[in-house]
Amino acid sequence: MGRIFRAFLEAPSVYVCNTCSAHVVSGDDVVSKQFQGRHGKAYLFDNVVNITLGPIEERLLLTGVHQVADFFCNGCDSTLGWKYELAQEPSQKYKEGKYIIEKAMIKKCQQ
């Protein structure tokens, strides 16, 4: 495996991995804070960095069946959330290509 380079985000606020403090997402990329994850509250984001995607699987979530891929921090391999790859319901199509990050897995840093 090659060397992993970390991206560092320059934004007024950045969410970082709770375990290793690797930058994960800019506070500007929050789509919604009204989501529920496995460990409680979760946020929907447009773009993330410093992650590795796992395999795509079909999962029954609160809003129906979706094809999702869990993703992991490049710094410490902690599971941070999942990426919506495909939504079955037309009303859920807006989630495709977006990321759910569990609030318990990240912390907000002001820069």
Side-chain angles (χ1 to χ4, degrees), residues 17-85:
C17 173
N18 231 1
T19 304
C20 72
S21 297
H23 287 200
V24 179
V25 65
S26 166
D28 297 335
D29 285 330
V30 177
V31 175
S32 175
K33 292 184 176 182
Q34 301 300 316
F35 279 79
Q36 186 69 28
R38 293 182 194 114
H39 306 289
K41 216 172 172 181
Y43 300 156
L44 184 69
F45 291 97
D46 273 328
N47 302 301
V48 297
V49 296
N50 298 323
I51 59 108
T52 303
L53 282 175
I56 297 171
E57 61 184 44
E58 200 164 89
R59 196 177 292 164
L60 178 61
L61 302 171
L62 293 174
T63 54
V65 176
H66 300 273
Q67 286 185 11
V68 299
D70 286 337
F71 63 89
F72 311 91
C73 175
N74 275 352
C76 64
D77 214 28
S78 295
T79 303
L80 299 175
W82 63 88
K83 179 182 181 185
Y84 285 104
E85 297 288 350

Side-chain angles (χ1 to χ4, degrees), residues 8-14 16 23 109-111:
F8 290 91
L9 300 170
E10 295 198 24
S13 66
V14 174
V16 300
H23 287 200
C109 292
Q110 304 295 330
Q111 292 188 329

